[in-house]
């Protein structure tokens, strides 16, 4: 990341001579080194999947979640610095509560994504703060617009997607998602595909154990964990698919 001169990475408010803000690029590196998180949008709802790497065998299973509920109809997951992700989830909850208190209706997913993105972007403007070392995926079901899915990047940019991925296995996961016919897929099929992609993306990091987190927001408009029976069945199919590919 060398540029003309030195010291241009000491502050998020300083541009390099070639127009780059190095601290934002460093934040993106933190995202790229994290466990993969993906989400897909079907005609019925949104499915989230996360490769939650286990840092120690002494950790209690399920104690370090990376998928958060920010409103009844909206979920959020992140990749990057875990503490930053939890802070951003808290901010998203505050924004959702503020919207409801003001307008007496549920927050549209796009409006919440925009508010979170503006908050993230504010941390790229001042020398006294640092950018968030995290990218976030927000998804949910609006009463008017139906299923919605957005990614908020460390720069404060947010974009809408049919399917998206962040983290270490981002490129592979995106390629796999592009092969799916999401508009014709049921929620149960989407869960199976998300699990398969996460397991295949983990192959590059197979020396580390991980927990698979799965959640969804279906036609009922409520964000919740995928039922254990469906989650276990999806994991079995994902493992079987990996074994069959290895045999071939």
């Amino acid at each position: 990341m060398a540029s003309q001169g030195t010291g241009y990475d000491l502050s998020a408010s300083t541009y390099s001579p070639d127009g780059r803000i190095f601290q934002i690029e460093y934040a993106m590196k933190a995202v790229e080194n994290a466990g993969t998180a993906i989400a897909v949008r079907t005609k019925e709802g949104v499915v989230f999947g996360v490769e939650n790497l286990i840092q120690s065998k002494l950790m209690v299973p399920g104690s370090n979640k990376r998928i958060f509920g920010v409103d009844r109809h909206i979920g959020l997951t992140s990749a990057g610095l875990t503490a930053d992700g939890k802070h951003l989830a808290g901010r998203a909850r505050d924004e959702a509560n503020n919207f409801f208190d003001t307008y007496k209706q549920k927050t549209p997913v796009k409006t919440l994504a925009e508010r979170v993105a503006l908050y993230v972007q504010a941390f790229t403007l001042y020398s006294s703060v640092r950018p968030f070392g995290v990218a976030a995926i927000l998804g949910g079901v609006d009463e008017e617009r139906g299923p919605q899915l957005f990614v908020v990047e460390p720069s404060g940019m947010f974009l809408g997607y049919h399917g998206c991925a962040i983290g270490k296995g981002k490129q592979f996961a995106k390629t796999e998602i592009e092969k799916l016919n999401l508009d014709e897929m049921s929620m149960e099929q989407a869960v199976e595909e998300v699990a398969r992609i996460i397991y295949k993306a983990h192959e590059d990091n197979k020396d580390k154990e991980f927990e698979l987190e799965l959640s969804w927001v279906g036609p009922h408009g409520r964000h919740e964990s995928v039922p254990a029976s469906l989650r276990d069945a999806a994991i079995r199919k994902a493992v079987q698919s990996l074994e069959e590919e290895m045999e071939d």
Side-chain angles (χ1 to χ4, degrees), residues 199-200 203 235-248:
Y199 266 82
K200 288 186 72 174
E203 281 296 289
I235 290 175
R236 286 195 297 271
K237 288 185 178 181
V239 172
Q240 182 181 357
S241 176
L242 274 179
E243 291 175 348
E244 289 175 354
E245 287 187 7
M246 290 178 65
E247 289 177 358
D248 293 340

Side-chain angles (χ1 to χ4, degrees), residues 7-237:
Y8 295 104
D9 60 352
L10 299 179
S11 169
S13 62
T14 302
Y15 284 97
S16 70
D18 52 352
R20 296 157 65 185
I21 300 178
F22 286 116
Q23 285 204 6
I24 293 178
E25 295 184 22
Y26 298 160
M28 287 302 300
K29 287 294 182 182
V31 174
E32 292 170 5
N33 289 331
T36 308
I38 68 176
V40 296
R41 190 183 90 184
T42 71
K43 61 182 179 181
E44 297 178 329
V46 175
V47 176
F48 298 91
V50 171
E51 173 201 19
N52 201 350
L53 299 175
I54 299 175
Q55 304 299 333
S56 170
K57 292 184 178 180
L58 298 178
M59 288 179 63
V60 177
S63 63
N64 191 27
K65 297 290 188 181
R66 282 177 51 201
I67 299 180
F68 309 95
V70 296
D71 205 341
R72 289 187 176 182
H73 64 299
I74 301 175
L76 178 151
T77 186
S78 61
L81 302 180
T82 304
D84 285 15
K86 290 182 176 180
H87 175 81
L88 213 55
R91 178 69 184 197
R93 292 189 188 106
D94 292 342
E95 293 288 356
N97 289 334
N98 178 266
F99 187 94
F100 184 82
D101 290 342
T102 303
Y103 301 105
K104 306 305 178 187
Q105 62 181 10
K106 293 180 180 178
T107 317
V109 183
K110 184 177 181 180
T111 300
L112 183 60
E114 183 177 17
R115 289 188 174 197
V116 171
L118 287 171
Y119 179 71
V120 171
Q121 196 260 343
F123 280 73
T124 70
L125 302 177
Y126 308 103
S127 59
S128 58
V129 296
R130 66 162 174 79
F132 281 91
V134 69
I137 301 174
L138 288 100
V141 177
D142 284 345
E143 293 180 355
E144 295 183 1
R145 297 184 178 181
Q148 299 284 298
L149 185 61
F150 296 90
V151 173
V152 179
E153 300 177 354
S155 63
M157 173 69 75
F158 81 102
L159 297 169
Y161 289 90
H162 289 287
C164 56
I166 53 179
K168 196 165 189 177
K170 170 183 173 181
Q171 295 302 327
F172 171 81
K174 278 188 173 182
T175 301
E176 291 295 309
I177 292 172
E178 288 173 357
K179 299 176 183 177
L180 304 178
N181 187 3
L182 296 173
D183 290 336
E184 302 297 327
M185 194 172 288
S186 69
M187 295 290 285
E188 290 76 13
Q189 291 173 325
V191 167
E192 293 178 0
E193 291 296 336
V194 166
R196 179 185 64 82
I197 293 170
I198 290 289
Y199 266 82
K200 288 186 72 174
H202 182 70
E203 281 296 289
D204 292 336
N205 207 16
K206 57 186 177 182
D207 56 320
K208 293 184 180 179
E209 296 183 3
F210 79 102
E211 293 177 333
L212 175 64
E213 288 185 55
L214 292 169
S215 72
W216 60 13
V217 187
H220 54 285
R222 188 177 183 88
H223 178 252
E224 57 191 4
S225 297
V226 171
S229 58
L230 180 56
R231 175 183 176 275
D232 293 342
I235 290 175
R236 286 195 297 271
K237 288 185 178 181

